């Protein structure tokens, strides 16, 4: 009898242990779910931050590469126009760039883009499950809206200008450095910002105009000296070339 009771007890114990295993596992899973979800959300947030960091770095690198390519293009253009050797260009280029920079600074101003109707076309993705038989053209949606006049800053290129539409707004010279604002450009920005503020006073506007006026005048004085220094290293033909381009007066 005792042996039989022991066997029955052992069978009951084994059965109970097998039944409690899934229950304990489910309990652990239930307890672990909130923690797992939090970890998953944390991983997703870190991944998003990492992607944003990479994209920001890539955009900065592309901007710098584009700036360098534009400057190299301008330098090659002027070097050929002036018909100089590498040794001569090494002497002329820094003086020429200083004249170009001061000329832009002395004439720093914003432009006005005319009010206009703008048409945009957006290509939409094909609907999931759409037939792929034969050539297919993704649907496009065209919208048309009216844009009022607005300020345009030549030292800040728009998306269309960056795409190479020929309206870069930088004119002759080495182009504007988009990585930083000059003294006159900063004064222009601050003055334009006042026009968008309903609480801006006439005194504030006058102060910003004086700041811009002073920056232009200081650049003009430095420009006269920079032009004299540039002429000293030019031949008459080279001087005439830069005179035609408006870099020399």
């Amino acid at each position: 009898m005792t042996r039989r009771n022991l066997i029955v007890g052992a069978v009951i114990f084994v059965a109970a242990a097998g039944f409690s295993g899934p229950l304990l596992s489910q309990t652990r899973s239930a307890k672990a779910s909130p923690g797992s979800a939090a970890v998953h959300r944390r991983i997703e947030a870190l991944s998003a931050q990492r992607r944003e960091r990479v994209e920001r770095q890539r955009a900065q690198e592309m901007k710098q590469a584009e700036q360098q390519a534009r400057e190299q293009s301008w330098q090659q253009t002027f070097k050929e126009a002036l018909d100089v050797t590498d040794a001569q260009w090494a002497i002329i280029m820094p003086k020429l760039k200083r004249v170009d920079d001061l000329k832009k600074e002395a004439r720093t101003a914003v432009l006005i883009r005319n009010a206009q109707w703008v048409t945009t076309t957006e290509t939409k993705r094909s609907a999931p499950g759409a037939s792929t038989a034969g050539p297919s053209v993704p649907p496009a949606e065209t919208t048309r809206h009216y844009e009022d006049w607005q300020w345009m800053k030549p030292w800040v290129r728009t998306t269309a200008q960056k795409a190479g539409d020929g309206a870069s707004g930088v004119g002759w010279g080495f182009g504007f450095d988009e990585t930083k604002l000059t003294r006159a450009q900063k004064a222009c920005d601050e003055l334009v910002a006042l026009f968008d503020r309903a609480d801006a006073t006439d005194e504030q506007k006058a102060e910003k105009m004086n700041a811009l006026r002073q920056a232009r005048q200081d650049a003009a004085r430095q420009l006269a000296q920079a032009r004299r220094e540039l002429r000293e290293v030019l031949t008459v033909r080279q001087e005439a070339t830069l005179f035609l381009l408006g870099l020399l007066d």
Side-chain angles (χ1 to χ4, degrees):
M1 185 69 179
T2 302
R3 182 179 179 184
R4 181 180 178 184
N5 289 340
L6 289 174
I7 294 173
V8 172
V11 171
I12 294 174
F13 176 78
V14 171
F19 181 73
S20 63
L23 291 179
L24 290 173
S25 177
Q26 292 175 6
T27 302
R28 292 194 193 98
S29 298
K31 290 182 178 179
S33 294
S36 299
V39 170
H40 182 67
R41 286 194 299 270
R42 177 61 177 166
I43 293 174
E44 286 186 337
L46 291 174
S47 298
Q49 293 175 6
R50 188 160 49 248
R51 285 194 302 270
E52 182 181 354
R53 204 161 47 239
V54 170
E55 290 174 359
R56 188 165 55 246
Q57 181 178 356
R58 184 183 297 117
Q60 184 177 0
E61 291 173 350
M62 290 177 62
K63 185 176 182 179
Q64 291 175 348
E66 184 183 346
Q67 178 75 18
Q68 292 175 358
R70 285 203 312 273
E71 183 164 338
Q72 289 174 358
S73 176
W74 283 120
Q75 288 197 32
Q76 186 63 30
T77 299
F78 276 93
K79 184 178 177 182
E80 293 177 359
L82 296 176
D83 190 20
V84 295
T85 64
D86 291 342
Q88 291 170 329
W89 182 242
I91 297 172
I92 293 174
M93 191 275 288
K95 298 179 183 296
L96 176 59
K97 190 173 188 310
R98 176 163 173 76
V99 166
D100 185 63
D101 289 342
L102 289 171
K103 179 174 175 286
K104 288 187 178 74
E105 184 77 351
R107 299 182 181 180
T108 299
V110 295
L111 307 173
I112 288 182
R113 194 193 73 178
N114 295 336
Q116 59 184 336
W117 283 95
V118 178
T119 301
T120 58
T121 302
E122 179 183 358
T123 301
K124 293 184 171 292
R125 295 181 178 178
S126 301
S131 174
T132 57
S136 60
V137 179
E141 181 177 293
T142 301
T143 58
R144 185 172 172 81
H145 63 279
Y146 182 77
E147 288 187 355
D148 201 353
W149 73 274
Q150 60 182 259
W151 298 115
M152 294 180 63
K153 302 169 186 177
W155 53 90
V156 179
R157 299 193 307 151
T158 65
T159 302
Q161 291 164 354
K162 289 180 180 179
D165 64 351
S168 64
V170 298
W172 291 104
F174 296 93
F176 289 103
D177 184 357
E178 297 180 56
T179 61
K180 58 184 178 181
L181 293 179
T182 66
R183 177 183 165 195
Q185 289 167 1
K186 186 173 184 295
C188 261
D189 272 358
E190 293 173 348
L191 182 55
V192 169
L194 288 179
F195 281 84
D196 297 330
R197 285 179 45 191
D199 61 339
T201 64
D202 290 342
E203 290 76 12
Q204 290 174 318
K205 293 176 184 177
E207 179 183 354
K208 296 303 179 184
M209 281 192 292
N210 287 333
L212 176 56
R213 185 179 296 112
Q214 189 63 50
R216 288 172 174 170
Q217 291 174 351
D218 291 346
R221 283 192 292 270
Q222 296 175 54
L223 176 60
Q225 177 61 29
R227 280 172 166 163
R228 286 192 293 270
E229 294 175 0
L230 176 58
R231 285 192 186 94
E232 293 174 356
V233 297
L234 299 176
T235 64
V236 174
R237 180 192 176 280
Q238 292 166 350
E239 181 178 350
T241 300
L242 296 180
F243 175 77
L244 286 172
L245 294 173
L247 287 165
L248 293 177
D249 54 7

